[in-house]
Structure formats: structure tokens, C-alpha cells
Amino acid sequence: MVLVPEEDGPAGAGPVVPVALARQQAVDRLLALDARGELATGHVRLVADAVGVSLRTVWRWLAAARAEGRTGARQRERFMVTPQLHARLVLWCGNAAAVHRELLAEARAADDDAGEAVSVAVPSLAALHRAIRRDLNPGQRAALTGGEQARRRHDVHLRWPRQWRNACWEGDHKHVPVEVDLHGELVCPWVTWFIDCATNAVTGAAITPHTPSWDAILAALRTAISRDEPDGPYGPIGSLPALVRIDRGKDFLSRTVASALGALAIPVHDLPAYSPHLRVQYATLCLACHRSMG
């Protein structure tokens, strides 16, 4: 079905529906009318006037659909960025000129091996630039030169207000999917840590071979709060936070942990249930640590 511009619209306005989309819709509709024996020249003329093309053009659309089963425009062969070419761009950090030189060198090497000229399709540098702009989205192009951090600037994500160091910590447990030999028995350790939300730095951590409880929390908290000289076992990050944020963990909300934090005048903010978006920074760091440990 084709949308027709209103009669009181601005003079010289183009068609409401783009020609490419209108062609597919119109040809499908006209073919259905033709299959029922109801197609008339009036229908074709109505489509031509609505889309803004000639009557002969619509008849050519119908002929192509009947002969080739094609309701859209014929796709022209063009140079495209394949996964292999994308991998080359990644290795060269998005340097299209270097990739083009590499393709030319491989084509010349193939000619020398064959002893005669062979037909190796090597696009021009301008064609390579056009394909990169057309086939790669802005995030992919940014990742070629700036890496993952540059790509993430083009993602849709939540942003936390900028804070200072030790303004807020987040604490949780993480089950590490790595088997460790403990007295002849294979166990998967747990990591209990506190993370500074402003810098994503792990201020303190404790590793236990069993499901952690308040004892692991107190050990990680002592490591996070304690600060020594550069040669000491603690620091240089850490100190006292202004707030500790927890995702409803009962062991973090136990009376023992609350007493330890309360003695230092550190409030604990218990996040509401089913709200992982409130801990976006911490979840990102957990995923990175999980990949590095796996």
C-alpha cells in the first residue's frame, strides 16, 4: 500500500515514501492484483503518480518481478569490507593506506609466482576508504584507531556523575571459575572485594576457598582501609570511603560488618532489588576481571 501526499501539502514536495521502499510495497500490491486478475492501467498510473516516477518505470518494475522475482533495485557489484579485510584493518590500527599497500604487494607476489598477470581484484585506495565509511559503523571505525574505549563512546549506556576518589565504594563476592588444588582437593575460590566507583580501582580483596561470609568481608575491608608506605603490604589506594554501596547481600548487611563500618562513621547504602543498572561501573569491572582470570 502506497501513501499519497495530501492535496494541501507544500508545492513541489517529494513523495512521502522513499522510492526504494515504495517500489517494494507497490510491486507486491500490483502482483497481488495481477494474480486475482484485477490489475488495470489505473492502478499502475496511481502508483507512478504517488511515487514520482513514470508509468513506463512501474511497468518495468512489474516485468522484473515477474521474470526475476525481484521487487527491489538490482544490486550492483561493489567492493565490500569482509571479515578478513576488517582483521587487516585492526592489525594496522585503521590505516587504510597500509592495508592497500599490503593488498598490492600480495597481488604483485601472486603475479610473480604465476609468471604472468593474474586477475587479482585490488580496489583503489579511494574505493577502500568509501567501503570503510559505508560498511563500518562509527563505533567500529573508532575502535580501529582508539581501541575498545573509543568504541564504547558510541554505545548507549548510563553515565554516573563524576565523583572524587573514595567518594563511594561497592562491595561484593565473585566466584572465580578456576580450580585450585587445596590439600589434594580441587576447589573454586571466592573473591571478596571493595571497588572505588570513581577510579574502578580494587581497594581491598580477600580470597577464600569456600563460600565467603562476614570474616572475608572484614579481611577485605581491613585491606581496603589500611595504607602503608610504598614498600608496605597495603596501599597506595584505599583510606576511608564516604559511602559503601551493597546490593542487598545479607553477609554485608550483618550486624558484625555494620558495627565495623559504623565505628568509622561509614554509612551503608542498600540498593533496591532487581536494579543492576545502579551498579554499572562495578558490573563492568567484574566482567573484565572474570575474563582475565578465565
Side-chain angles (χ1 to χ4, degrees), residues 8-289:
D8 57 350
V16 176
V17 181
V19 176
L21 178 60
R23 173 175 179 173
Q24 297 178 0
Q25 296 175 337
V27 170
D28 290 339
R29 172 61 175 165
L30 294 177
L31 288 177
L33 292 174
D34 189 26
R36 298 197 302 264
E38 302 176 0
L39 181 62
T41 305
H43 297 107
V44 181
R45 182 176 291 108
L46 178 62
V47 169
D49 294 340
V51 180
V53 297
S54 65
L55 184 65
R56 182 176 298 179
T57 298
V58 181
W59 282 119
R60 283 201 303 267
W61 291 352
L62 282 174
R66 291 166 180 165
E68 308 173 17
R70 173 172 52 85
T71 59
R74 182 179 287 106
Q75 297 293 332
R76 296 185 299 175
E77 294 185 0
R78 64 175 180 83
F79 179 75
M80 301 179 62
V81 178
T82 61
Q84 294 77 14
L85 183 59
H86 193 187
R88 290 175 183 260
L89 290 170
V90 172
L91 292 177
W92 284 101
C93 298
N95 191 339
V99 174
H100 187 256
R101 289 193 298 267
E102 189 176 77
L103 294 176
L104 289 177
E106 291 179 357
R108 296 191 188 99
D111 292 344
D112 296 340
D113 294 341
E116 57 183 3
V118 296
S119 56
V120 179
V122 178
S124 64
L125 181 58
L128 180 58
H129 279 291
R130 286 195 301 269
I132 293 174
R133 291 192 300 266
R134 182 176 51 238
D135 297 338
L136 300 182
N137 58 48
Q140 291 174 321
R141 295 197 299 268
L144 293 176
T145 57
E148 180 65 16
Q149 292 297 330
R151 186 199 64 80
R152 289 182 180 179
R153 298 191 187 100
H154 296 268
D155 287 346
V156 178
H157 60 279
L158 298 175
R159 290 182 178 272
W160 285 82
R162 185 177 297 275
Q163 292 181 320
W164 59 95
R165 184 167 58 91
N166 295 328
C168 178
W169 289 0
E170 289 181 347
D172 204 351
H173 305 297
K174 176 64 181 177
H175 190 210
V176 184
V178 176
E179 291 184 342
V180 179
D181 185 2
L182 180 64
H183 303 302
E185 181 181 358
L186 294 179
V187 297
C188 291
W190 285 79
V191 178
T192 303
W193 52 20
F194 288 91
I195 294 179
D196 181 31
C197 298
T199 61
N200 281 342
V202 179
T203 58
I207 301 177
T208 56
H210 52 77
T211 303
S213 59
W214 58 265
D215 55 345
I217 298 174
L218 293 180
L221 184 62
R222 180 179 183 274
T223 305
I225 294 176
S226 302
R227 296 184 65 186
D228 290 337
E229 297 298 327
D231 298 334
Y234 304 110
I237 58 175
S239 188
L240 294 176
L243 174 69
V244 173
R245 191 159 52 211
I246 305 298
D247 61 345
R248 303 178 64 84
K250 292 184 178 179
D251 43 3
F252 280 90
L253 299 175
S254 64
R255 182 176 301 177
T256 303
V257 177
S259 300
L261 293 174
L264 299 173
I266 302 175
V268 178
H269 181 199
D270 183 16
L271 293 175
Y274 307 107
S275 57
H277 60 281
L278 298 179
R279 307 176 69 241
V280 174
Q281 292 182 348
Y282 176 70
T284 303
L285 185 58
C286 284
L287 179 60
C289 293

